[in-house]
């Protein structure tokens, strides 16, 4: 009867003078028990794997026999199908050849007709496209001319407005309020000088957009682009 790990673990030895060290023997027995348990576990796993392999082998043997029978039946069926297919293929090939000749003939006729129609249509489209391209080029050139005239008129208008903004009349308008008071009104001149003329001037940044609070009709700067173009055409 094979030993079990429990048999080894419960094994006891009698003691006698000058015998082995009991602790060392117990430690060695514990090590043997662990190794023995590992060996038993591995044997069980091997037995399970062997049983599984035997079952798979039996299954494959049965499958092999079934496949052999199926191959025999399939071979017999294939021979019959091959003979029947050979006869049918001869009929199909002959019929297909006749049908192919007919389709090729019809296709060639349709291809010739389509080619002729396509060439005529392409010529018509090319002629129409050429005429439209010429018309578009003429309209584009005319628009460029009108745009150039408008640009010149706009520059002239801006230069005129700039000259007006730089005229000396603004210096008279922007004089301090105290300058409009006569010498006989020193008190009023002093009040205006302290209250109004000493206000900080507002700096104008040319990089910031100028917000015009008044409509352009009031400033006299309204530019009607269609009217400029119309006047140019007249």
């Amino acid at each position: 009867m094979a030993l079990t790990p429990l048999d080894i673990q419960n094994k006891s030895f009698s003691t006698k003078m000058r015998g082995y060290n009991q602790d060392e023997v117990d430690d060695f027995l514990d090590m043997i028990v662990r190794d023995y348990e590992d060996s038993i576990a591995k044997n069980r796993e091997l037995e399970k794997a062997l049983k599984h392999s035997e079952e798979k082998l039996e299954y494959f043997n049965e499958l092999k026999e079934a496949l052999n029978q199926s191959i025999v039946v399939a071979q017999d069926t294939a021979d019959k199908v091959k003979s029947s297919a050979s006869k049918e293929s001869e009929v199909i090939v002959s019929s297909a050849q006749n049908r192919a000749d007919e389709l090729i003939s019809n296709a060639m006729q349709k291809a010739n007709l389509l080619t002729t129609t396509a060439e005529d249509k392409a010529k018509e489209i090319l002629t129409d496209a050429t005429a439209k391209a010429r018309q578009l080029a003429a309209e584009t050139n005319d628009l460029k001319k009108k745009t150039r005239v408008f640009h010149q008129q706009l520059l002239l208008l801006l230069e005129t407005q700039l000259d007006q903004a730089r005229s000396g009349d603004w210096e008279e308008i922007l004089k301090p309020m105290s300058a409009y008071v006569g010498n006989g009104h020193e008190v009023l001149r002093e009040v205006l000088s302290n209250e109004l003329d000493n206000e900080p001037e507002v700096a104008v940044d040319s990089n910031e957009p100028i917000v015009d609070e008044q409509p352009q009709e009031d400033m006299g700067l309204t530019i009607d682009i269609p009217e400029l173009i119309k006047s140019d055409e007249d």
Side-chain angles (χ1 to χ4, degrees):
M1 183 177 180
L3 291 174
T4 65
L6 187 60
D7 294 335
I8 298 174
Q9 188 173 8
N10 294 332
K11 178 65 177 175
S12 61
F13 299 92
S14 59
T15 59
K16 58 186 300 186
M17 290 296 294
R18 300 179 64 81
Y20 293 107
N21 186 303
Q22 187 174 355
D23 293 336
E24 292 181 357
V25 172
D26 290 339
D27 293 339
F28 185 70
L29 289 175
D30 291 339
M31 185 175 62
I32 293 175
V33 168
R34 289 193 297 270
D35 292 343
Y36 196 66
E37 288 177 347
D38 292 340
S39 299
I40 292 174
K42 291 180 180 178
N43 287 334
R44 288 176 181 174
E45 292 179 358
L46 291 174
E47 288 175 357
K48 290 181 182 179
L50 178 60
K51 184 178 180 181
H52 182 65
S53 299
E54 290 176 350
E55 291 175 353
K56 291 178 66 176
L57 179 61
E58 183 180 357
Y59 169 76
F60 284 125
N61 288 332
E62 294 176 356
L63 182 61
K64 179 181 178 182
E65 293 178 1
L67 288 175
N68 288 334
Q69 294 178 0
S70 299
I71 290 173
V72 173
V73 175
Q75 184 64 41
D76 183 46
T77 304
D79 293 338
K80 294 180 181 179
V81 171
K82 181 179 180 181
S83 177
S84 177
S86 178
K87 294 178 182 179
E88 291 181 0
S89 63
E90 292 178 358
V91 176
I92 293 173
V93 169
S94 178
S95 176
Q97 185 64 42
N98 295 333
R99 180 61 179 167
D101 293 340
E102 181 180 356
L103 290 175
I104 290 173
S105 178
N106 292 335
M108 291 182 65
Q109 293 177 0
K110 290 181 179 180
N112 292 332
L113 178 61
L114 289 174
T115 301
T116 303
T117 304
E119 289 178 353
D120 295 339
K121 186 64 176 178
K123 291 179 181 179
E124 180 181 353
I125 292 174
L126 181 60
T127 302
D128 185 55
T130 302
K132 289 182 178 180
R134 290 175 178 172
Q135 181 181 358
L136 181 60
E139 293 176 355
T140 302
N141 188 45
D142 183 58
L143 181 60
K144 286 183 178 181
K145 292 179 180 179
K146 293 177 180 179
T147 304
R148 187 178 294 107
V149 172
F150 167 73
H151 181 254
Q152 293 175 353
Q153 293 176 350
L154 180 61
L155 288 178
L156 180 60
L157 176 62
L158 293 176
E159 290 175 356
T160 302
Q161 297 295 331
L162 186 59
D163 290 340
Q164 292 178 1
R166 291 175 175 174
S167 66
D169 296 337
W170 290 98
E171 295 181 359
E172 180 66 23
I173 295 174
L174 298 176
K175 288 193 306 182
M177 290 295 298
S178 58
Y180 294 96
V181 180
N183 296 329
H185 301 83
E186 292 295 337
V187 176
L188 180 59
R189 179 195 297 271
E190 183 177 355
V191 170
L192 292 176
S193 177
N194 294 331
E195 297 296 330
L196 298 179
D197 296 341
N198 292 331
E199 291 183 354
E201 295 183 357
V202 179
V204 179
D205 188 355
S206 59
N207 293 324
E208 294 184 357
I210 298 175
V211 180
D212 189 1
E213 297 180 353
Q214 296 182 353
Q216 289 186 351
E217 290 80 4
D218 296 340
M219 300 296 294
L221 297 178
T222 302
I223 301 174
D224 194 343
I225 297 176
E227 290 296 332
L228 290 176
I229 297 176
K230 182 177 179 180
S231 63
D232 176 66
E233 291 178 351
D234 295 339

